[in-house]
Amino acid sequence: MPSDALATSARPFAPRRSLIAQNPSVLWFLLALALFTLGVTVLAEMGLVSTSMVKTLGKTLCLCLVAVAMDVVWGYCGILSLGHMAFFGIGGYAIGMWLMYARTEIIVTTSLAAAPIPPTPEEIVDAVGTQIFGVVGSSEFPWLWAFADSLALQLLMVVLVPGLLALVFGWLAFRSRVTGVYLSILTQAMTLALSLWLFQNDTGLRGNNGLSGLQNIPGYDHVPQSTVSLVFFWASAAALAAGYLLFAWVVSGKFGSVIRGIRDNEARVRFLGYHVEHYKLFVFTLTAVVAGIAGALYYPQAGIINPAEIAPIASIYLAVWVAIGGRGRLYGAAIGAAFVSLLSSWFTGGGAPDIDLGFYRIQWTDWWLVLLGLSFVAVTLLAPKGIGGLFDLIPGRRTPDRQGDYGPDDGAWRREEGTE
Amino acid sequence: MTALLEVSGVSVTFDGFRAINNLSIQIGEPELRAVIGPNGAGKTTFMDIVTGKTRPDEGRVLWGERSVSLLRMSESQIARAGIGRKFQKPTVFEDQTVRENLAMALRNPRGPLAVLFHRKTPEGAARIESIAEEIGLLPALPRKAGELSHGQKQWLEIGMLLAQDPRLLLVDEPAAGMTPAEREHTTELLKRIARSRAVVVVEHDMEFVRRLDCKVTVLHEGSVLAEGTLDHVTRNQQVIDVYLGR
Ligand SMILES: Nc1ncnc2c1ncn2[C@@H]1O[C@H](COP(=O)(O)OP(=O)(O)OP(=O)(O)O)[C@@H](O)[C@H]1O
Ligand SMILES: [Mg+2]
């Protein structure tokens, strides 16, 4: 080793640099999110942003959260899970069950209160069952609904069910060292199985009717939807901020280093003594839990959840958002999810004007998916860093955290290349 | 000197081709051992077997005082038991800095939770810096490993091996891509490490092997052809025929 390379002194050891100091982008992201939340709130209060728009934006924040989770599992750990929207959907079902039960119970109690003989608790439960399961020709409460009357327990289910499913599925898959495309296919199979199961009427989750009326918060009927929507919007923003901080912490430092190592060369990480499967399982499960929480915030804003939401394609969209936004950086995933999902609802909602080619009329409601597919291919081939890559163009940003000469010997990168 | 690693009667077949054929090798602690042999002799495959990457069809691989079988352990368990490895083709994490590469290799608890809550310590940083100094990469600590030259990547991988603090070091062709001065440095380093540990070095460069000044094992077609001092094995007619004479 040329000894002159030692002449330049190394950067002194900097212990415990805070998360923010290490990743200034975390601060920028949280700042932008806070400003956005504030702006939307003010505009909504002034009546310039409609209630349905507030809901759309709140839902978008939930999608950003699940996209950030997806980025951790795929962009950082290299597991292309095409099943994370299933965990998102499970979170939605879990909270939806309580919303539907509690609200139906209130309605039933009020209507029975007028009856000459006060109803027994059993009668109330029966009436609630008839109300909820009438559409699938049943009135019995399935075992799945055992805790539906308790908000606390259903909130527990929001994290417990996706977490346990991810834990069991991941344990089986990672233990047999299923990787790459095979793992992706396996996760797709999991989502497909789940949605097919939910589509059945006798599953106990109302088949293809799904759960509805979720925008009505039990006991808060007197509160106008304009307020409810804002509260959920804030909750979604807070969840996104918390999730972002959590994942920024997870992917920074040594843990982040190990999972990026697993992404790039998992065999090498094994030879360093790390139990790769445990790391994958941890990341897979943690991100599934966050996806569940995101779903639990999303569906009360959407008002309805049905098995189609858990269809395999939903998870593929999630991967597309992250790819377009730029995987391997958390803000990229969030931007991708927001950008593509908003654009998607604009195109499919008939917002985009049709294009008349004379011989053919391009109707975006049909052609949007083609456009999305093409953009996905284009981004993958031409701009693998995605939208997030644009931030690298900001001059002066990311001054290389290094000093000394670049390339002390031949074959190393030149100074010009060293700045990336 | 007690046997730290005992490989006996090991055979491996890849699609009908016997890459390792009834191989037996014993490594003591401390010991420096050079393994030479023509291309395809099975030197790398031997390391693959010891580190758990390749499962042999038959034979025993025993480790340590309690003679535990390595064949029942996973790659990561073997690594945690104290066997470190440097690959023939340098494999470092190119997307990460030299410091991160070394930090990952540093001997510390390996579980996900321990790593998640891991806090950098001044001792860890000092150890990284002393290793970096040893391998001549101190100024390169904040650089991405992918920017390093081939020789520097070799050094980084040796550094990662040192950071793991293993009892047995398996070093596959460390001198490839190094300048003569660097080779000399590597020999010195390996000899110094081998004072307290077991080191197995695979190398084609005879001058390098001579400077190691240790027991030499010659592999050919998956089994041991000769063993002894370098002078002893280079006088062996069979060794001359299959390896040196070419
Ligand atoms: N995974 C594998 N599948 C099939 N054949 C293999 C595999 N690994 C090694 N071999 C074969 O086994 C033989 C021994 O290979 P090995 O890499 O151990 O040789 P080597 O002594 O390290 O050679 P070199 O000096 O070129 O590094 C070679 O013929 C090789 O082609
Ligand atoms: Mg080899």
Side-chain angles (χ1 to χ4, degrees):
Chain A
M1 193 66 341
S3 57
D4 59 0
L6 292 172
T8 32
S9 71
R11 191 163 52 84
F13 170 61
R16 300 186 185 188
R17 282 204 297 163
S18 77
L19 185 67
I20 303 285
Q22 277 180 53
N23 308 287
S25 68
V26 174
L27 189 64
W28 287 116
F29 182 85
L30 294 181
L31 209 63
L33 181 62
L35 282 177
F36 174 74
T37 313
L38 204 68
V40 171
T41 309
V42 170
L43 290 178
E45 292 294 338
M46 289 163 62
L48 294 173
V49 171
S50 69
T51 297
S52 78
M53 190 60 193
V54 172
K55 286 188 178 183
T56 304
L57 295 175
K59 285 192 295 182
T60 305
L61 293 178
C62 300
L63 297 178
C64 291
L65 178 56
V66 69
V68 169
M70 176 69 186
D71 195 20
V72 173
V73 77
W74 181 31
Y76 285 86
C77 201
I79 306 167
L80 176 51
S81 161
L82 294 178
H84 264 59
M85 280 315 256
F87 304 126
F88 185 85
I90 293 174
Y93 265 101
I95 196 68
M97 285 158 76
W98 174 77
L99 286 170
M100 212 165 164
Y101 182 93
R103 196 173 123 80
T104 315
E105 188 182 32
I106 291 175
I107 295 172
V108 165
T109 323
T110 341
S111 70
L112 288 184
I117 314 159
T120 63
E122 291 81 47
E123 278 172 332
I124 292 183
V125 171
D126 282 347
V128 172
T130 316
Q131 278 282 326
I132 294 181
F133 300 106
V135 285
V136 289
S138 164
S139 64
E140 291 286 299
F141 267 101
W143 60 272
L144 275 175
W145 290 69
F147 307 127
D149 58 334
S150 157
L151 173 61
L153 287 177
Q154 281 307 127
L155 284 177
L156 196 65
M157 295 300 147
V158 165
V159 296
L160 221 54
V161 179
L164 279 178
L165 179 62
L167 196 69
V168 172
F169 176 89
W171 186 71
L172 292 171
F174 300 137
R175 190 185 57 136
S176 8
R177 297 214 178 156
V178 181
T179 53
V181 187
Y182 300 101
L183 187 96
S184 306
I185 293 173
L186 220 54
T187 54
Q188 279 274 283
M190 175 195 79
T191 14
L192 183 62
L194 187 67
S195 78
L196 290 181
W197 180 71
L198 286 170
F199 264 119
Q200 292 175 354
N201 279 345
D202 52 9
T203 303
L205 289 164
R206 298 181 13 125
N208 62 350
N209 304 289
L211 309 179
S212 52
L214 309 185
Q215 73 280 19
N216 305 308
I217 311 306
Y220 289 88
D221 277 333
H222 54 282
V223 180
Q225 277 294 313
S226 58
T227 310
V228 172
S229 64
L230 267 181
V231 170
F232 270 96
F233 176 76
W234 292 330
S236 307
L240 176 57
Y244 196 93
L245 267 174
L246 170 74
F247 286 127
W249 172 66
V250 166
V251 302
S252 69
K254 197 166 169 183
F255 191 90
S257 184
V258 173
I259 61 174
R260 279 179 290 139
I262 291 173
R263 172 192 70 195
D264 295 336
N265 190 344
E266 73 173 64
R268 185 72 183 90
V269 178
R270 271 194 199 107
F271 288 119
L272 285 177
Y274 291 95
H275 203 306
V276 167
E277 286 67 38
H278 290 177
Y279 281 80
K280 287 186 173 177
L281 198 55
F282 181 88
V283 171
F284 193 73
T285 308
L286 180 68
T287 52
V289 167
V290 172
I293 295 172
L297 282 165
Y298 179 96
Y299 286 104
Q301 303 182 71
I304 180 163
I305 181 170
N306 61 51
E309 304 277 329
I310 291 176
I313 189 73
S315 296
I316 295 181
Y317 283 144
L318 180 61
V320 170
W321 298 340
V322 174
I324 289 180
R327 71 195 145 107
R329 54 178 103 205
L330 299 179
Y331 59 89
I335 291 171
F339 180 71
V340 183
S341 70
L342 285 176
L343 210 61
S344 161
S345 42
W346 186 62
F347 274 113
T348 54
D354 293 348
I355 297 178
D356 203 342
L357 297 176
F359 59 95
Y360 187 82
R361 209 177 153 75
I362 295 184
Q363 287 180 316
W364 286 116
T365 38
D366 300 332
W367 280 89
W368 155 245
L369 276 186
V370 178
L371 182 68
L372 181 63
L374 288 178
S375 345
F376 176 58
V377 173
V379 166
T380 314
L381 295 178
L382 306 174
K385 284 183 174 179
I387 301 173
L390 294 176
F391 288 84
D392 292 346
L393 301 178
I394 300 173
R397 210 189 132 268
R398 276 191 156 218
T399 28
D401 191 8
R402 55 168 84 110
Q403 41 20 183
D405 199 6
Y406 297 111
D409 49 344
D410 295 338
W413 287 47
R414 306 293 303 271
R415 178 185 296 275
E416 308 82 272
E417 293 169 302
T419 43
E420 290 184 340
Chain B
M1 189 176 90
T2 54
L4 178 65
L5 178 73
E6 190 186 328
V7 175
S8 49
V10 167
S11 298
V12 179
T13 311
F14 294 119
D15 311 317
F17 169 74
R18 263 201 172 210
I20 295 287
N21 187 7
N22 196 18
L23 175 73
S24 299
I25 289 184
Q26 283 199 11
I27 310 290
E29 184 183 38
E31 184 182 355
L32 180 58
R33 174 75 62 93
V35 176
I36 59 174
N39 292 111
K43 306 181 293 292
T44 301
T45 309
F46 157 68
M47 294 192 172
D48 287 347
I49 291 169
V50 174
T51 53
K53 187 178 176 196
T54 300
R55 301 281 158 194
D57 306 328
E58 52 188 294
R60 286 186 310 165
V61 182
L62 301 179
W63 165 255
E65 293 77 15
R66 302 202 347 262
S67 290
V68 290
S69 171
L70 293 181
L71 300 182
R72 275 195 294 276
M73 290 159 72
S74 70
E75 295 98 312
S76 60
Q77 282 174 321
I78 292 175
R80 286 196 298 273
I83 299 182
R85 171 170 190 188
K86 185 213 153 295
F87 289 80
Q88 184 163 354
K89 177 177 171 288
T91 37
V92 296
F93 300 102
E94 312 232 331
D95 192 37
Q96 306 198 29
T97 63
V98 172
R99 185 187 291 277
E100 283 172 315
N101 271 277
L102 289 172
M104 218 193 296
L106 215 55
R107 185 169 178 174
N108 272 322
R110 295 301 206 217
L113 287 179
V115 169
L116 189 59
F117 292 100
H118 172 82
R119 282 201 155 277
K120 292 180 185 142
T121 59
E123 299 80 52
R127 177 124 176 77
I128 289 177
E129 253 138 57
S130 80
I131 291 170
E133 179 141 32
E134 174 82 77
I135 58 175
L137 288 178
L138 193 54
L141 273 180
R143 281 176 58 192
K144 288 256 171 85
E147 297 170 7
L148 302 179
S149 69
H150 186 80
Q152 287 176 313
K153 283 181 195 164
Q154 293 271 51
W155 276 112
L156 176 54
E157 215 183 344
I158 294 174
M160 288 164 76
L161 193 52
L162 296 178
Q164 279 184 74
D165 195 17
R167 285 178 75 184
L168 168 66
L169 292 83
L170 302 171
V171 195
D172 206 347
E173 304 204 7
M178 285 187 177
T179 64
E182 287 175 337
R183 281 164 190 249
E184 199 156 331
H185 183 117
T186 314
T187 2
E188 290 313 311
L189 182 61
L190 290 174
K191 281 165 85 167
R192 182 144 39 88
I193 298 168
R195 274 188 221 135
S196 57
R197 290 154 215 267
V199 181
V200 177
V201 187
V202 165
E203 190 50 70
H204 279 298
D205 179 4
M206 277 302 160
E207 205 35 57
F208 187 91
V209 175
R210 180 168 302 282
R211 267 204 305 273
L212 285 180
D213 186 26
C214 65
K215 187 169 170 183
V216 177
T217 300
V218 187
L219 285 195
H220 177 55
E221 291 181 349
S223 41
V224 176
L225 189 64
E227 205 163 67
T229 63
L230 186 63
D231 289 330
H232 172 78
V233 300
T234 49
R235 276 198 299 272
N236 184 313
Q237 190 55 43
Q238 273 179 301
V239 174
I240 296 173
D241 288 346
V242 304
Y243 188 43
L244 303 171
R246 295 187 309 162

mmCIF file of all heavy atoms in Angstrom, chain B residues 43-45 88 172-173 202, ligand 2:
data_model
loop_
_atom_site.group_PDB
_atom_site.id
_atom_site.type_symbol
_atom_site.label_atom_id
_atom_site.label_comp_id
_atom_site.label_asym_id
_atom_site.label_seq_id
_atom_site.Cartn_x
_atom_site.Cartn_y
_atom_site.Cartn_z
ATOM 1 N N LYS B 43 -9.103 -26.306 -4.534
ATOM 2 C CA LYS B 43 -8.687 -25.477 -3.396
ATOM 3 C C LYS B 43 -9.849 -24.633 -2.880
ATOM 4 O O LYS B 43 -10.125 -24.591 -1.675
ATOM 5 C CB LYS B 43 -7.510 -24.570 -3.815
ATOM 6 C CG LYS B 43 -6.337 -25.336 -4.414
ATOM 7 C CD LYS B 43 -5.196 -24.434 -4.798
ATOM 8 C CE LYS B 43 -5.497 -23.489 -5.945
ATOM 9 N NZ LYS B 43 -5.680 -24.148 -7.249
ATOM 10 N N THR B 44 -10.528 -23.974 -3.827
ATOM 11 C CA THR B 44 -11.662 -23.146 -3.411
ATOM 12 C C THR B 44 -12.800 -24.019 -2.882
ATOM 13 O O THR B 44 -13.460 -23.679 -1.898
ATOM 14 C CB THR B 44 -12.131 -22.287 -4.595
ATOM 15 O OG1 THR B 44 -11.039 -21.465 -5.017
ATOM 16 C CG2 THR B 44 -13.300 -21.410 -4.206
ATOM 17 N N THR B 45 -13.001 -25.160 -3.522
ATOM 18 C CA THR B 45 -14.067 -26.054 -3.070
ATOM 19 C C THR B 45 -13.802 -26.536 -1.648
ATOM 20 O O THR B 45 -14.730 -26.686 -0.847
ATOM 21 C CB THR B 45 -14.203 -27.243 -4.039
ATOM 22 O OG1 THR B 45 -14.306 -26.739 -5.367
ATOM 23 C CG2 THR B 45 -15.422 -28.066 -3.729
ATOM 24 N N GLN B 88 -11.840 -15.631 -3.374
ATOM 25 C CA GLN B 88 -10.884 -15.525 -4.481
ATOM 26 C C GLN B 88 -11.115 -14.233 -5.256
ATOM 27 O O GLN B 88 -10.206 -13.470 -5.495
ATOM 28 C CB GLN B 88 -11.066 -16.741 -5.394
ATOM 29 C CG GLN B 88 -10.075 -16.801 -6.524
ATOM 30 C CD GLN B 88 -10.026 -18.188 -7.141
ATOM 31 O OE1 GLN B 88 -10.660 -19.119 -6.654
ATOM 32 N NE2 GLN B 88 -9.277 -18.335 -8.212
ATOM 33 N N ASP B 172 -8.209 -16.967 0.239
ATOM 34 C CA ASP B 172 -8.108 -17.488 -1.127
ATOM 35 C C ASP B 172 -7.436 -16.449 -2.026
ATOM 36 O O ASP B 172 -8.002 -15.392 -2.284
ATOM 37 C CB ASP B 172 -9.517 -17.827 -1.643
ATOM 38 C CG ASP B 172 -9.488 -18.897 -2.721
ATOM 39 O OD1 ASP B 172 -8.398 -19.194 -3.229
ATOM 40 O OD2 ASP B 172 -10.572 -19.435 -3.040
ATOM 41 N N GLU B 173 -6.250 -16.762 -2.492
ATOM 42 C CA GLU B 173 -5.487 -15.921 -3.415
ATOM 43 C C GLU B 173 -5.479 -14.446 -3.014
ATOM 44 O O GLU B 173 -6.024 -13.597 -3.718
ATOM 45 C CB GLU B 173 -6.018 -16.072 -4.846
ATOM 46 C CG GLU B 173 -6.006 -17.531 -5.269
ATOM 47 C CD GLU B 173 -5.942 -17.727 -6.765
ATOM 48 O OE1 GLU B 173 -5.774 -16.741 -7.499
ATOM 49 O OE2 GLU B 173 -6.041 -18.887 -7.198
ATOM 50 N N VAL B 202 -4.408 -19.935 0.138
ATOM 51 C CA VAL B 202 -4.308 -20.521 -1.201
ATOM 52 C C VAL B 202 -3.604 -19.512 -2.083
ATOM 53 O O VAL B 202 -3.971 -18.325 -2.079
ATOM 54 C CB VAL B 202 -5.712 -20.817 -1.767
ATOM 55 C CG1 VAL B 202 -5.644 -21.067 -3.259
ATOM 56 C CG2 VAL B 202 -6.325 -21.995 -1.062
HETATM 57 MG MG MG C 2 -9.977 -21.224 -6.551
#
